[in-house]
Amino acid sequence: MAKDLQKFLNLLDERGQLRRIKAAVDPDLEVAEIANRLLLSGGPALLFENVKGASMPLAINVLGTLERVCWSFGMESPEELEAIGQKLALLYQPRPPKKFSQAVELGKALFDVVKAKPDRDLFPPCHQVVLKDDAVDLNKLPLLRVYSGDAGKVITLGLMVTKDPESKIPNVGVYRLQLQSKNTATVQWLSVRGPSRHLRKAAERGEKLEVAVAIGVDPLLILAAATPLPIDLSEWLFAGLYSGNGVNLAKCKTVDLEVPALSEIVLEGTITPGETDIDGPAGDHIGYYGPQRDNAPLLRFHCMTHRKNPVYMTAFSGRPPKEDAMMALALNRIYTPILRMQVPEIQDFFLPMEGLSYKAAVVSIDKSYPGQARRAAFAFWTALPQFTYTKFVIVVDKAINIRDPRQVMWAVTSKVDPARDVFILPENPFDRLDFATEKPGLGSRMGIDATTKVYPETDRPWSDELIPDPETAELVNRRWAEYGLDDIDLGDVNPNLFGYDIH
């Protein structure tokens, strides 16, 4: 498993998943246009070695396919990610073991926590070059402007580190920063996020909030920072659980915070409560421009450190597929065991990329009593913080392949009576970036019970589903080569043959 960005890029290069671009490119619109075309086609990661106005190369589309996200975990397939989720499920809501085998599993998970404790690096690579005060110039970084209507250049994949002024527990997250001047930037975050809480506490204490932004880190750390955690757990610890070893941290030069020692670039600064600037508009993951904010928190950076030959790593949001959608697909697998522990009847769930990674969910259950689909939908909405913003939950039987939209559509159309099986919850707290809601910050949720109905959900007898005759199916399996059809790959189906228009 790679431990830093440059090692991961080397891994991609060895596996034919990295293209080095030597031609001069403009970070204003041009880089994003190139990268987006490759994202849409599942293409390789890109390393732009000659970015106009910058002295360092730019890596993008690094996590642009689910396969590459799996590689960042040291795994080869999405199914393997559930093993991580099973480990996290034991720690997310620990319960007293009822059997010896459960005690053993919990003991293994707790031992993994001990191994995951962060290490400290006294001579970190991220401190090879130190710039302070007037020498800090964010314009020297190859910052992108992604869309023509964007208000300015942005930093998108930096790990922002803040610390609770009372408990001193750090929070690590990924937020968009918009450049305002050579050493200032505004930040876009939701009011429920950790740094927003930290800023409110700092304001109550009459203090500035210290901030560090680590850019160009091991991709695994980005995924750990995107995982929803209980407030009192550290993302560094979870990153260690992901990788099996503690994260190497380094103490910042000018603020009382720690960052990954192998970061390519680190920005250090403060936010003064009440000091704001205009942020946006900027392209957002919903697929539209996010609105202008007149009072976005302003970060003032007074120190920048970096490696001798750093690589700037970035990504951008927008209508899927984008890198954040690929990361969400991987996290979907990791969340599954956590969700099963909280709602045992849930067999599996899927957040389709086209549903903006969290706006629509398909949930399968092992149905055994009437009303169970509604219970599963309500439980899903409250299971993890980000599911609060899921607009649509479709609940199907366990026999349905939730990752096959054709099967899901069949279940909806053949098993749903809208008056009985569709339920709507109005006036819920919601994502302010969702323009479909009537009021900013308030929206409705819809559940669809697409399971087979049982009494008293219906008084009509439910007919048997059409399935092949098992004996005949086995006979055909045995004689398939005899028919002269063994050269046909039945598993590789082109959806366009069935009326779709997918490019």
Side-chain angles (χ1 to χ4, degrees), residues 94-128:
R95 301 173 182 176
K98 295 182 179 180
K99 298 186 295 185
F100 179 74
S101 60
Q102 292 176 333
V104 171
E105 289 302 314
L106 181 59
K108 290 180 179 177
L110 293 174
F111 180 66
D112 287 338
V113 171
V114 174
K115 291 195 300 180
K117 184 179 179 181
D119 295 324
R120 270 68 186 177
D121 195 328
L122 297 179
F123 303 100
C126 66
H127 287 170
Q128 289 172 346

Side-chain angles (χ1 to χ4, degrees), residues 285-364:
H285 69 284
I286 302 292
Y288 305 99
Y289 286 101
Q292 176 179 298
R293 290 183 60 196
D294 295 331
N295 58 348
L298 183 71
L299 288 78
R300 293 189 176 276
F301 295 110
H302 51 255
C303 182
M304 178 167 66
T305 68
H306 60 78
R307 291 186 175 209
K308 288 182 179 178
N309 296 295
V311 174
Y312 178 81
M313 181 182 179
T314 190
F316 56 93
S317 295
R319 184 173 173 176
K322 297 291 183 288
E323 289 187 61
D324 52 2
M326 296 301 108
M327 290 187 275
L329 288 173
L331 293 175
N332 185 161
R333 292 284 189 175
I334 294 171
Y335 299 153
T336 301
I338 300 174
L339 191 60
R340 287 195 193 116
M341 176 170 284
Q342 297 187 40
V343 193
E345 61 259 54
I346 289 182
Q347 300 292 299
D348 200 358
F349 83 102
F350 181 51
L351 302 171
M353 175 182 68
E354 294 78 10
L356 302 175
S357 300
Y358 66 93
K359 290 292 186 182
V362 185
V363 177
S364 63

Side-chain angles (χ1 to χ4, degrees), residues 92 228 335 338-339 342 349 379-388:
Y92 204 90
Y335 299 153
I338 300 174
L339 191 60
Q342 297 187 40
F349 83 102
F380 178 86
W381 276 315
T382 58
L384 290 173
Q386 76 275 24
F387 297 161
T388 302

Side-chain angles (χ1 to χ4, degrees), residues 65-283:
T65 65
L66 184 56
E67 180 181 48
R68 295 201 290 272
V69 175
C70 291
W71 291 350
S72 74
F73 285 94
M75 298 179 177
E76 297 298 326
S77 69
E79 291 77 12
E80 293 180 72
L81 297 173
E82 289 200 25
I84 298 174
Q86 290 168 1
K87 185 188 303 182
L88 298 184
L90 292 171
L91 302 170
Y92 204 90
Q93 284 190 329
R95 301 173 182 176
K98 295 182 179 180
K99 298 186 295 185
F100 179 74
S101 60
Q102 292 176 333
V104 171
E105 289 302 314
L106 181 59
K108 290 180 179 177
L110 293 174
F111 180 66
D112 287 338
V113 171
V114 174
K115 291 195 300 180
K117 184 179 179 181
D119 295 324
R120 270 68 186 177
D121 195 328
L122 297 179
F123 303 100
C126 66
H127 287 170
Q128 289 172 346
V129 177
V130 179
L131 304 170
K132 292 184 178 181
D133 301 326
D134 288 342
V136 176
D137 188 353
L138 302 182
N139 290 303
K140 294 181 179 179
L141 301 178
L143 305 185
L144 297 188
R145 192 168 73 96
V146 180
Y147 301 102
S148 59
D150 286 352
K153 299 177 180 179
V154 292
I155 297 173
T156 55
L157 275 188
L159 295 188
M160 178 178 287
V161 185
T162 59
K163 186 182 292 186
D164 188 302
E166 296 174 351
S167 69
K168 306 303 181 183
I169 294 175
N171 177 270
V172 186
V174 181
Y175 309 101
R176 177 182 60 76
L177 304 179
Q178 179 184 312
L179 184 68
Q180 297 292 342
S181 72
K182 62 176 283 187
N183 60 1
T184 64
T186 46
V187 62
Q188 176 78 273
W189 59 36
L190 297 173
S191 60
V192 298
R193 299 303 187 194
S196 184
R197 293 193 302 270
H198 295 175
L199 184 59
R200 289 194 294 269
K201 287 186 178 182
E204 292 169 359
R205 297 161 65 98
E207 301 172 352
K208 294 182 179 181
L209 181 67
E210 294 186 327
V211 177
V213 180
I215 302 171
V217 299
D218 178 358
L220 184 65
L221 300 181
I222 297 172
L223 289 151
T227 304
L229 305 177
I231 292 174
D232 56 350
L233 285 181
S234 165
E235 285 81 1
W236 301 137
L237 189 63
F238 264 61
L241 288 170
Y242 278 179
S243 66
N245 293 288
V247 178
N248 282 347
L249 297 178
K251 185 174 176 57
C252 288
K253 288 288 187 181
T254 63
V255 292
D256 187 21
L257 297 168
E258 293 179 314
V259 294
L262 300 177
S263 303
E264 299 291 315
I265 305 159
V266 177
L267 307 177
E268 302 177 14
T270 60
I271 301 176
T272 301
E275 187 175 16
T276 63
D277 208 333
I278 298 172
D279 184 279

